[in-house]
Amino acid sequence: MHYFENEHLKYQNNQLYCESVSFEKLAHEFGTPLYVYSKNFMTDRYKEFANAFSKINHKIFFAAKSNFNLNVIKLFSDLGGGIDVNSAGEFFRTIKAGVKPKDMLLTGVGKSAEEIELGIKHDVLLIKAESLGEVYQINELAQKLGKKAPVAIRVTPDVDPKTHPYITTGLTESKFGIPASQAVDMFIECNGLSHINLCGIDMHIGSQITSIDPYVESVIRMVELTKLIQAKGINIEHFDIGGGFGVKYLKETPFTPGDLAEALVPIFMQLDCEIYFEPGRSLTANGGVLLSKVVYTKSNEKKNFIVIDAAMTELLRPSIYKAYHHIQPVVRNTKDDIIADIVGPVCESGDYLGKDRTIENMESDELVALMSAGAYAMVMSSNYNARCRPPEIIVDGDKYFLTRSRESFEHLLYDEKIVDGLH
Ligand code: LLP
């Protein structure tokens, strides 16, 4: 079978380690399922990105939607990054992580009046609008609050990023942003509003993009557009290219931040703007593992099944995108490989983590690692089947920290009760 490793998640004496801590030790102490993140993987990815673009005036805003663990947010903030928050909930978490609103971008296609007010009241760095109606809404709310709101408008460059249709966002038919064809008129109209400081232009063409070409094509279009807008006397100070930088889940060969910088920096140089980036997955995905345990194995004439204690509730991506996450034993054994479906305990046929996988034959109680679970794993988890969310551990060298404990049944009830008068 194939083993998935990187500098911070690798086998030592046939045991899988996160940095200097074995997954076996973590499973023993905290049980399974369990999310485990490598601090140094995330730090390295951030620094690699920042170094690649060090020649230009830029700022990296970590997309908290990919992993909103408070300590992960704080880690990127401590490294000098800002945070891209997509909702009042993410704003709240980011504040709890100790980040100042002036280091946050407020994004999202359908921000409510309450969310916009929150952003204006707390003076977030930039509010990104996705429609003319939203810009008018921001203007009105800013007026009510006696402020001038810093605004960027998201434009769809209409370039196909060739990724999964559910995570493609830069096409005109997508619900995001405004079409490039309407951009100049809309910027002129919005620039006349009294309580808006229209200072940015923004794009985000999709996620898990592994080729540089769609970025180059989009950025060329957007730079031209920005020049046209600036020629109308509108002071665009920030150019935000969004995130979406792809990672290796199996065989992908994504570009590096260095490759991206080489292709884009000369184009950015044509503009006198600060360049913003909003990476999520590329900073976190391969620094995380969902650790699980085999509950049962079984076979019929057609299939082998390995039933594990993690499910679509902890890692939804295979169920909804047919996404691939590599699955491997925590302790390498010498048994022959089999081909098996690796499935969870949830009562859905769609609850699988891997189909037709070549994997060492495993037995009940053996530990398995679901790789690339640092992004869009915990954040997309649910309590379906009244399952409790797993704890989250962050490893730093030979130290490890429980950042959130396992949910309890009481947790699941919140304040729900049998109500008087109904029965
Ligand atoms: N900025 C904006 C405006 C976004 O909408 C997103 C992701 C990002 C930045 C960060 O993108 P990243 O660098 O992480 O690709 N649940 C899906 C991914 C949805 C991405 C949504 N937007 C998945 O599991 O693949």
Side-chain angles (χ1 to χ4, degrees), residues 63 65-66 84 107 128 154 167 204 206-208 242-245 249 278-282 317 321 376 380:
K65 60 174 78 70
S66 68
D84 160 19
T107 69
K128 301 198 306 178
R154 176 168 173 180
I167 47 179
H204 170 77
S207 198
Q208 183 52 15
F245 318 119
Y249 285 97
E278 301 167 1
R281 186 190 321 258
S282 56
R317 305 189 69 256
Y321 312 124
Y376 303 111
M380 292 170 73

Side-chain angles (χ1 to χ4, degrees), residues 43-54 58-61 241-243 245 255-258 260-261 276-279 282-283:
T43 305
D44 287 357
R45 293 291 77 71
Y46 180 92
K47 289 187 176 163
E48 186 186 8
F49 205 96
N51 287 339
F53 287 94
S54 60
H58 79 277
K59 187 161 168 114
I60 300 168
F61 294 84
I241 90 154
F245 318 119
F255 52 84
T256 64
L260 189 69
Y276 287 174
F277 299 94
E278 301 167 1
S282 56
L283 301 184

Side-chain angles (χ1 to χ4, degrees), residues 106-323:
L106 182 59
T107 69
V109 69
K111 291 184 284 304
S112 67
E114 291 74 22
E115 286 176 314
I116 293 169
E117 268 194 43
L118 192 71
I120 300 173
K121 258 191 210 152
H122 290 88
D123 296 319
V124 293
L125 183 66
L126 200 55
I127 303 177
K128 301 198 306 178
E130 301 217 10
S131 64
L132 187 60
E134 189 183 0
V135 182
Y136 273 90
Q137 164 92 304
I138 298 171
N139 187 57
E140 247 173 58
L141 294 168
Q143 181 162 25
K144 197 177 90 186
L145 295 167
K147 297 212 176 196
K148 204 162 179 164
V151 169
I153 297 178
R154 176 168 173 180
V155 178
T156 47
D158 202 21
V159 170
D160 188 350
K162 305 225 165 32
T163 182
H164 192 289
Y166 283 10
I167 47 179
T168 292
T169 54
L171 293 172
T172 306
E173 63 254 40
S174 99
K175 70 173 177 176
F176 298 99
I178 60 152
S181 56
Q182 296 173 9
V184 176
D185 288 347
M186 208 179 284
F187 270 78
I188 292 172
E189 180 171 344
C190 296
N191 196 45
L193 296 173
S194 56
H195 287 76
I196 296 277
N197 171 22
L198 185 55
C199 55
I201 186 162
D202 169 53
M203 64 179 238
H204 170 77
I205 55 174
S207 198
Q208 183 52 15
I209 299 168
T210 51
S211 149
I212 279 188
D213 302 349
Y215 283 105
V216 173
E217 212 182 312
S218 303
V219 169
I220 290 175
R221 283 188 195 180
M222 294 284 289
V223 165
E224 288 312 311
L225 195 58
T226 306
K227 286 184 193 160
L228 284 178
I229 293 166
Q230 286 174 329
K232 302 287 177 191
I234 302 170
N235 187 22
I236 302 296
E237 297 165 20
H238 313 291
F239 181 105
D240 184 338
I241 90 154
F245 318 119
V247 303
K248 185 177 170 68
Y249 285 97
L250 176 64
K251 293 201 177 113
E252 299 88 341
T253 47
F255 52 84
T256 64
D259 299 335
L260 189 69
E262 203 182 309
L264 295 185
V265 166
I267 316 174
F268 288 146
M269 294 281 202
Q270 300 174 28
L271 284 181
D272 185 21
C273 282
E274 187 175 13
I275 309 297
Y276 287 174
F277 299 94
E278 301 167 1
R281 186 190 321 258
S282 56
L283 301 184
T284 53
N286 280 324
V289 166
L290 172 59
L291 181 61
S292 180
K293 192 173 71 180
V294 177
V295 195
Y296 300 109
T297 58
K298 59 182 181 180
S299 303
N300 61 31
E301 316 75 79
K302 293 209 166 128
K303 288 246 171 207
N304 296 311
F305 292 99
I306 299 177
V307 186
I308 63 174
D309 65 0
M312 65 191 294
T313 39
E314 291 76 41
L315 187 64
L316 184 60
R317 305 189 69 256
S319 296
I320 62 169
Y321 312 124
K322 295 195 168 74

Side-chain angles (χ1 to χ4, degrees), residues 339-413:
I339 295 177
D341 282 8
I342 293 135
V343 301
V346 165
C347 59
E348 299 269 350
S349 299
D351 176 32
Y352 74 92
L353 290 313
K355 283 230 160 113
D356 296 320
R357 293 299 178 84
T358 301
I359 187 164
E360 288 172 9
N361 203 353
M362 302 197 68
E363 288 171 16
S364 300
D365 292 334
E366 279 190 77
L367 295 169
V368 281
L370 293 104
M371 308 306 286
S372 315
Y376 303 111
M378 171 60 167
V379 290
M380 292 170 73
S381 65
S382 80
N383 293 121
Y384 186 37
N385 278 197
R387 287 167 59 82
C388 297
R389 283 188 177 81
E392 292 181 289
I393 306 290
I394 301 186
V395 175
D396 179 11
D398 57 3
K399 298 194 290 291
Y400 52 94
F401 303 88
L402 174 67
T403 63
R404 186 181 197 270
S405 29
R406 192 176 301 282
E407 285 179 350
S408 66
F409 297 130
E410 282 70 29
H411 220 129
L412 299 193
L413 283 184

